[in-house]
Amino acid sequence: MKTKSIQVDNMELVNEMKLCFQARSENESFARVAVAGFLTYLNPTLEEIEDIKTAVSEAVTNAIIHGYEEKETAMVYVSGMIYRDEEGYLLQVVVEDTGKGIADIEKAMEPMFTTKPELERSGMGFAFMEAFMDDVQVESEVLKGTTVTLSKRLGKYEEEAYEG
Amino acid sequence: MKFIRQEDNVLIVTLPEEIDHHKTSELAEQIDETLLNGTADKVIFDFARTRFMDSSGIGLLVGRYRKVHSFGGQVLVCNVTGHMAKILQLSGVEKFIGKYEGTI
């Protein structure tokens, strides 16, 4: 297990949510829209929302097609946390499956690498997560499942300004 | 609404509002069927309606590029803005998929 390069230990957890849904491709859009909705009250920029939606979509798609290999009754777990410190807000999204796991995480994260070229997977999923988020951590165990933790600092917002 | 239309030798694909893994599998099948049965040797992907895309969209473009390129054809994109432009640039597909500058 790698140490997290973004530490939330000294931050205050100000909001939290949990979702759990079937591993159906229809739910890819549900997951990213729900996460975007979760942070709307912080008034993020359009660019921040687009970046986060893409990263969440990549992680959830991976869980569905790689973790569970499209076994639709399996469940995908997504949780969202908003942390705060003097620098501002940080969004953390954890996407978890209890599927087949990743044998070689480093290989899986290489750009253009895919185990499913027949499905026209571009192999860009992890590269996009890394490009659009500040930090991506992957923990996995074969036959146990995979947990992807995505973190992104949000611009400094005055929460009070949007309360009423 | 019809997503695919052909004008002379050009196949114009109007991409949906959201391009993800759920949408691309069906779309790829429809485009390939039209290509196989038709006479088009140029495919233009129109992003005018598109508001979201993830790496599945890159898979869709690269997959069609491989097929069309194999018989000497061409794949182009148009109306690419904002987030979609960022994704195309990051993926590196711009090296072999050009921009169509005309109106469609």
Side-chain angles (χ1 to χ4, degrees):
Chain A
M1 191 171 109
K2 285 190 233 166
T3 48
K4 294 205 183 329
S5 59
I6 284 193
Q7 294 287 346
V8 292
D9 306 357
N10 296 321
M11 298 184 80
E12 182 195 357
L13 177 66
V14 292
N15 199 356
E16 196 173 1
M17 69 90 177
K18 285 187 198 304
L19 296 173
C20 156
F21 51 86
Q22 285 196 332
R24 296 174 177 275
S25 62
E26 300 90 300
N27 288 337
E28 291 157 7
S29 112
F30 164 65
R32 62 178 180 260
V33 170
V35 171
F38 174 60
L39 69 138
T40 305
Y41 79 104
L42 293 174
N43 204 30
T45 64
L46 181 62
E47 198 179 0
E48 285 172 331
I49 293 176
E50 285 171 331
D51 288 356
I52 291 161
K53 278 171 84 176
T54 301
V56 170
S57 196
E58 301 296 351
V60 169
T61 303
N62 277 352
I64 292 173
I65 63 182
H66 298 288
Y68 292 128
E69 302 194 291
E70 307 193 56
K71 192 184 113 207
E72 293 186 333
T73 52
M75 301 301 279
V76 180
Y77 304 87
V78 174
S79 45
M81 274 81 64
I82 292 168
Y83 292 94
R84 181 170 57 188
D85 65 6
E86 62 280 1
E87 284 176 55
Y89 291 97
L90 176 108
L91 170 77
Q92 200 162 67
V93 180
V94 181
V95 178
E96 205 172 339
D97 69 67
T98 56
K100 68 169 191 179
I102 305 169
D104 187 343
I105 295 178
E106 241 169 82
K107 185 98 196 151
M109 291 182 80
E110 270 174 28
M112 315 304 276
F113 174 81
T114 178
T115 52
K116 298 203 186 300
E118 74 283 3
L119 292 183
E120 295 193 336
R121 303 310 304 161
S122 64
M124 299 297 296
F126 277 119
F128 281 8
M129 286 183 237
E130 286 180 323
F132 294 133
M133 302 298 282
D134 294 328
D135 188 47
V136 179
Q137 297 293 327
V138 185
E139 287 162 34
S140 190
E141 201 177 325
V142 173
L143 300 177
K144 288 268 169 81
T146 301
T147 303
V148 175
T149 305
L150 308 163
S151 308
K152 190 180 182 71
R153 275 259 176 212
L154 302 170
K156 291 172 196 169
Y157 308 109
E158 292 300 321
E159 197 178 12
E160 294 75 23
Y162 302 100
E163 285 178 356
Chain B
M1 186 194 156
K2 258 182 91 99
F3 287 105
I4 306 171
R5 68 176 205 271
Q6 187 167 345
E7 283 173 18
D8 300 325
N9 64 328
V10 186
L11 205 65
I12 299 161
V13 181
T14 308
L15 290 166
E17 211 171 303
E18 307 227 313
I19 306 172
D20 62 7
H21 151 247
H22 179 65
K23 288 275 169 64
T24 48
S25 14
E26 199 185 324
L27 200 56
E29 215 171 279
Q30 287 173 6
I31 298 166
D32 289 352
E33 206 181 276
T34 316
L35 275 174
L36 197 71
N37 300 324
T39 49
D41 61 2
K42 194 188 231 178
V43 182
I44 301 176
F45 285 97
D46 182 3
F47 283 82
R49 298 180 60 220
T50 307
R51 297 290 167 266
F52 175 83
M53 176 163 85
D54 66 15
S55 69
S56 310
I58 301 302
L60 177 78
L61 290 180
V62 173
R64 304 294 75 64
Y65 171 80
R66 287 209 179 105
K67 288 208 164 70
V68 175
H69 188 69
S70 70
F71 56 81
Q74 206 184 3
V75 173
L76 298 166
V77 292
C78 72
N79 294 319
V80 182
T81 54
H83 190 63
M84 274 51 73
K86 196 158 136 187
I87 290 206
L88 290 191
Q89 193 210 347
L90 260 172
S91 72
V93 297
E94 288 182 328
K95 288 182 201 105
F96 49 90
I97 295 176
K99 278 202 177 76
Y100 178 75
E101 306 285 2
T103 47
I104 56 169

